[in-house]
Amino acid sequence: SQKIEQNSEALNIQEGKTATLTCNYTNYSPAYLQWYRQDPGRGPVFLLLIRENEKEKRKERLKVTFDTTLKQSLFHITASQPADSATYLCALLNNDMRFGAGTRLTVKP
Amino acid sequence: DAGVTQSPTHLIKTRGQQVTLRCSPKSGHDTVSWYQQALGQGPQFIFQYYEEEERQRGNFPDRFSGHQFPNYSSELNVNALLLGDSALYLCASSSDGFQETQYFGPGTRLLVL
């Protein structure tokens, strides 16, 4: 069956460090992969989209990689700040859209 | 420009009842998708509406139905509510299905007692 796994439920890092979140998938061939941020009690907010033929995408302090051979995407936040604390969701798109359970990131001052 | 809006924000129902949730898409968007998000889980795709028709559907029973109006707003109806239907229901709009950025609303928190 199709499965999407995000590396851990929670990740704690120190301010200024780089946060790296992982999204692995099995039995799926996504055409696109998206990353979202979700704050408690709010809807997800779109951050980045990467297509299957793209290896890397950047936006300000954010970087996403997509390895269709490893079936994995990595999401990096450089120079992390306490305001980056949130749950980050990966979503795979083909004929439908499937989300991972998310990783809760806490950036400590 | 208003983003995606949903109503109501919270709702309490009892088992067996029916509920209708509403969504207004972001201006300029014609596609509306509905998701169910249980606590601690990612959103699960229910269905997507485009041009007033259900274009795609996730793995949800027929108790979940929807509608899209000519102004692109949408409703989600759930019949014969079960305790397990308690969740945050999210609406997302886009201009071209899943291939463009989806904008999510704040959600409706449904509690079934």
Side-chain angles (χ1 to χ4, degrees):
Chain A
S1 64
Q2 296 167 343
K3 203 182 272 190
I4 301 169
E5 290 180 335
Q6 295 194 236
N7 56 324
S8 58
E9 279 191 20
L11 181 65
N12 299 315
I13 64 167
Q14 210 64 37
E15 183 176 8
K17 300 291 186 186
T18 296
T20 298
L21 285 66
T22 305
C23 178
N24 295 300
Y25 59 93
T26 55
N27 297 322
Y28 201 69
S29 297
Y32 308 83
L33 190 146
Q34 295 183 344
W35 283 88
Y36 288 82
R37 168 186 174 135
Q38 187 173 25
D39 292 286
R42 310 286 292 270
V45 174
F46 170 79
L47 297 174
L48 281 168
L49 176 151
I50 187 165
R51 292 176 170 77
E52 60 177 340
N53 60 350
E54 297 176 317
K55 296 290 185 189
E56 184 179 297
K57 209 77 167 289
R58 290 175 186 261
K59 179 183 174 184
E60 297 172 353
R61 294 184 297 112
L62 308 180
K63 184 177 89 170
V64 172
T65 62
F66 192 11
D67 189 327
T68 55
T69 302
L70 290 179
K71 296 186 180 297
Q72 180 183 79
S73 174
L74 299 179
F75 177 77
H76 306 273
I77 305 175
T78 58
S80 60
Q81 305 164 359
D84 295 327
S85 299
T87 294
Y88 291 85
L89 300 159
C90 69
L92 277 59
L93 293 79
N94 200 325
N95 294 320
D96 62 5
M97 189 167 195
R98 296 172 189 254
F99 281 85
T103 296
R104 188 172 65 252
L105 174 68
T106 302
V107 180
K108 300 186 177 182
Chain B
D1 172 31
V4 178
T5 60
Q6 292 186 243
S7 63
T9 54
H10 295 83
L11 206 49
I12 299 176
K13 291 285 188 178
T14 56
R15 278 180 300 173
Q17 284 190 309
Q18 178 263 343
V19 69
T20 298
L21 311 181
R22 295 176 177 82
C23 171
S24 290
K26 184 176 166 64
S27 177
H29 286 180
D30 57 9
T31 304
V32 173
S33 302
W34 286 93
Y35 296 83
Q36 180 194 67
Q37 187 174 26
L39 210 56
Q41 300 297 316
Q44 274 199 293
F45 173 66
I46 303 174
F47 42 53
Q48 182 179 88
Y49 276 85
Y50 172 70
E51 292 190 342
E52 302 179 52
E53 292 199 357
E54 184 182 292
R55 182 157 71 173
Q56 284 173 258
R57 190 180 182 91
N59 190 23
F60 277 79
D62 292 345
R63 297 188 296 111
F64 290 77
S65 63
H67 189 78
Q68 186 178 35
F69 299 94
N71 67 354
Y72 307 122
S73 67
S74 177
E75 287 182 349
L76 164 66
N77 301 294
V78 187
N79 294 323
L81 285 166
L82 304 173
L83 296 179
D85 294 332
S86 296
L88 179 68
Y89 288 85
L90 295 162
C91 165
S93 75
S94 65
S95 57
D96 186 15
F98 294 125
Q99 298 187 23
E100 296 296 328
T101 301
Q102 288 193 99
Y103 292 82
F104 282 82
T108 294
R109 175 73 64 187
L110 173 65
L111 179 60
V112 182
L113 300 175

